[in-house]
Amino acid sequence: MPPEPLTRERILEATEEVLRRHGQAKATVVDVARALGVSHGSVYRHFPTKAALREAVTGRWLERTTARLEELAQDAEGPAADRLSDWLETLFTAKRHKAGDDPELFATYMVLTAETARIVDAHVAELVGQLARIIADGVVQNAFTAIAGRDAEATARAVFDATARFHDPRHAGEWHHAEIGEEFAAVRDLILRGLCAPAQSATPWPNSSAE
Amino acid sequence: MPPEPLTRERILEATEEVLRRHGQAKATVVDVARALGVSHGSVYRHFPTKAALREAVTGRWLERTTARLEELAQDAEGPAADRLSDWLETLFTAKRHKAGDDPELFATYMVLTAETARIVDAHVAELVGQLARIIADGVVQNAFTAIAGRDAEATARAVFDATARFHDPRHAGEWHHAEIGEEFAAVRDLILRGLCAPAQSATPWPNSSAE
C-alpha cells in the first residue's frame, strides 16, 4: 500500500532516477516498478509498453528546456531582437547545464532521443514555433524583416539550424571549450544582423562613411 | 621488385583501398604493405607508425574537399557575396557526395577523424582561413561589413559555425532529407544578409515603405 497515489509524474520521476543510477538499458517498466515498490501491473496502467515509458520520460526531459523559453516567446511586447538574443542564450545555457552537470544522464538521454525520433521532432517543432513567434513579432515591430521569399516559420528554422552547434547534443563535446561563449556570441550577432537587414539586401550595403 | 617506385601517394591510395574494403580497424602498416605486395619495412620508411599512416590518409581525404574551395577563396576580383555563396554550396555538395556515394568509407573516415584531432583542427583552420579571405575581400569591396568588434577571422569562424549542420559529418544522417536543400539556402541567405548589413545594425532597420 503505497503512501501516495501512483501518478504519471511519480512514475516518470522514478524512471529518471533509475536511468541516472543504472543507465538507459535499465529503463524498463519492471525496473521502475521495483524502484517504486509497486507491482509492474500498476505501472503498466499508466504506460502500456516500455517504449511508451521511454518516450514519456524523454519528452519530460526535453520539456524542462522548453518551459523557460516559452516565457520569452510569449512576451509579445518586448523588443524582438532582445527576446531572440535571450532565447538563443537561454537555450544554449540550458543545454550546457544538462550536458555538464550530469554527463551520464545526458549520455543516457542521447541514446533515448535517438530512438524516440517522434518525440524529438515534436520538441524541435515546438522550439522553431517559439522562434517563429518572436520573428513575426519583430516584423510587426519593424525590427526584423523575414528572409526574402520565406515566412517567419522558414526564417525561424534557419535561425534554429544556424545555431545547431550550440544546442544539438551531438556538439556537446565542444561546449566546455574556453572560446565557446565568444563563438556563440559571434553567431548570434551574425544572425541578428541578418534578421535586421532590409529585405532588399541583395544589393550590397552602400558605404555610409562621409568622403 | 615492384614495377613502380613506392611513393607516399601510392601507399596512401592503397591505404584507402584497404579502408574501403575492410574498414578502419584494418588500416595498419602491415595490411597496407600486404596489399601493395611490398615488405612492411618499405612502408615504414614513408610512415614510421600506424598513427602517422592514419593521419596522412585522413589528411589526404580532407584535402580533396579543400582544393576545390581554394580556387573560390583565391578569386579576389569576384564579387564576395557570390564567392561566399558558392563556397558554402561547394562545401556542402562535396560533403554530401562523400557521405552519400560511399557511406562505408565515410563512416570509416568518421572514426579516423575522431582519433586524429590535430589533422581535423588544421583542416578546419584552413577552411576558416579561406572564408576569412573572402570576407576580407568583401569588406574591401564594400559588399560586407565585419561583425562589430570582430575581425574577418572571427567573422569567418561564425559563418563556419552557423553552417555546421551542412558540413559537420555528425549531421550527415540529415543530408538526404527532401527539405535539406531549402534549409541550406535559408541559412546561407540569412548569413549573407548578416554580412551585408551595416556595422551599426543594433538600431532596427527603419521602415522604408511610404506611408
Side-chain angles (χ1 to χ4, degrees), chain A residues 10 23 29 42 49 61 75 77 81 89 105 124-125 166 177 198:
Chain A
R10 270 193 69 215
V29 173
S42 315
T49 62
W61 184 70
D75 172 29
E77 301 306 311
E89 183 115 29
L105 188 64
V124 168
F166 307 102
H177 289 182

Side-chain angles (χ1 to χ4, degrees), chain A residues 142 145-147 150 157-158 161-162 165 168 170-171 174 182 185-187 189-190 193-198 201 205 207, chain B residues 142 145-147 150 157-158 161-162 165 168 170-171 174 182 185-187 189 193-198 201 205 207:
Chain A
N142 285 325
T145 51
I147 311 177
R150 296 189 175 90
R157 179 76 214 197
D161 287 346
R165 184 164 185 247
D168 190 305
R170 285 169 288 189
H171 294 273
E174 298 145 36
E182 168 52 26
V187 169
D189 291 354
L190 181 63
R193 279 179 40 162
L195 292 172
C196 294
S201 76
W205 189 247
N207 185 4
Chain B
N142 284 325
T145 50
I147 311 177
R150 296 185 177 92
R157 179 75 213 198
D161 287 345
R165 184 165 184 247
D168 190 306
R170 285 169 288 190
H171 294 272
E174 298 144 36
E182 168 52 25
V187 168
D189 291 355
R193 278 179 40 163
L195 291 173
C196 295
S201 75
W205 189 247
N207 185 6

Side-chain angles (χ1 to χ4, degrees), chain A residues 72 83 88 97 99 103 108 114 139-140 143 156 167 172 174 176 184:
Chain A
L72 289 163
R83 282 162 67 206
L88 292 173
H97 272 293
T108 289
V139 172
V140 170
H167 54 68
E174 298 145 36
H176 64 278
F184 166 77

Side-chain angles (χ1 to χ4, degrees), chain A residues 83-136:
Chain A
R83 282 162 67 206
L84 189 76
S85 182
D86 288 351
W87 192 95
L88 292 173
E89 183 115 29
T90 302
L91 177 60
F92 185 34
T93 303
K95 293 275 183 158
R96 280 168 94 180
H97 272 293
K98 276 185 170 179
D101 296 350
D102 196 339
E104 280 161 40
L105 188 64
F106 190 77
T108 289
Y109 274 114
M110 277 203 65
V111 176
L112 289 179
T113 51
E115 64 184 44
T116 55
R118 200 173 61 86
I119 298 294
V120 175
D121 289 351
H123 174 64
V124 168
E126 185 178 353
L127 293 178
V128 171
Q130 291 181 352
L131 277 174
R133 274 186 280 159
I134 298 174
I135 290 168

